[in-house]
Amino acid sequence: RLMWAEVPAAIGYEIERRDDGSAKELNGWREIATTQKGVTAYTDAGLASETTYYYRVSALLGDGAAPPSDVVSATTPEAPPGAPRLTADASSDAVTLSWTDVAGETGYRIERRAGGDTDWATIATTGEDVTTYTDGDLSPGSPYKYRVVATGPGGDSEPSNVASAKTVKKTVKVTVA
């Protein structure tokens, strides 16, 4: 996010960016946006992770553009890992979860919603490259929903798809003698 002081005579501002790592050269600047009068901030979105970008702003005056501002730079953080794909398999008192291993993760957070709950509860975390978890000691015949979040140096992924599972009711066979 860029912010600058208003120039009283400005009718707008031109924002330029360099992304090749060298802000000292005169050529290579590319106009990325123009704002209206009074707008003194701009958010540059959709950038690559772990990249340094250089910016400068010029006030647009009635007779042309003023000389550009000083150059500022910002480095985007590492991107979070992608979202895993989740499946669930139920037995009478457990649900076994499996998910895809995603690049750049350092672990996973397993979340569950039981029955009519509306909030997700963290039930476990795993280490790097672990892609299965068994949620045991559950009530037979009960519905559960799960999702998995990959964690990494760049933050948390979006949650996986929601996988639903219902534990199997135990059948008791009674023999009368």
Side-chain angles (χ1 to χ4, degrees):
R1 178 155 174 84
L2 303 168
M3 295 185 301
W4 56 91
E6 187 170 3
V7 175
I11 58 173
Y13 300 90
E14 177 183 84
I15 299 103
E16 295 178 300
R17 177 181 72 205
R18 289 183 61 105
D19 51 10
D20 66 352
S22 173
K24 302 247 185 238
E25 296 177 27
L26 293 177
N27 50 356
W29 289 100
R30 184 170 60 96
E31 180 184 329
I32 58 169
T34 302
T35 69
Q36 299 296 318
K37 179 179 182 170
V39 177
T40 59
Y42 175 76
T43 299
D44 195 10
L47 302 173
S49 64
E50 298 182 86
T51 302
T52 300
Y53 293 93
Y54 299 87
Y55 297 91
R56 66 185 186 183
V57 177
S58 297
L60 300 176
L61 307 170
D63 59 349
S69 67
D70 289 339
V71 174
V72 296
S73 66
T75 302
T76 53
E78 183 176 340
R85 186 86 186 130
L86 176 65
T87 59
D89 184 37
S91 66
S92 63
D93 64 349
V95 174
T96 299
L97 304 171
S98 299
W99 56 89
T100 55
D101 194 14
V102 296
E105 55 79 21
T106 56
Y108 295 94
R109 183 174 69 243
I110 298 100
E111 299 176 338
R112 177 182 70 201
R113 254 185 4 204
D117 291 349
T118 56
D119 294 329
W120 290 98
T122 298
I123 59 168
T125 57
T126 72
E128 186 174 2
D129 298 329
V130 176
T131 58
T132 60
Y133 174 77
T134 299
D135 186 17
D137 210 17
L138 301 173
S139 299
S142 298
Y144 298 93
K145 292 185 179 186
Y146 297 89
R147 67 183 188 183
V148 175
V149 175
T151 60
D156 291 346
S157 74
E158 290 295 318
S160 69
N161 58 299
V162 174
S164 298
K166 185 174 184 178
T167 52
V168 180
K169 279 192 174 186
K170 290 183 180 181
T171 306
V172 179
K173 191 174 191 177
V174 178
T175 306
V176 179

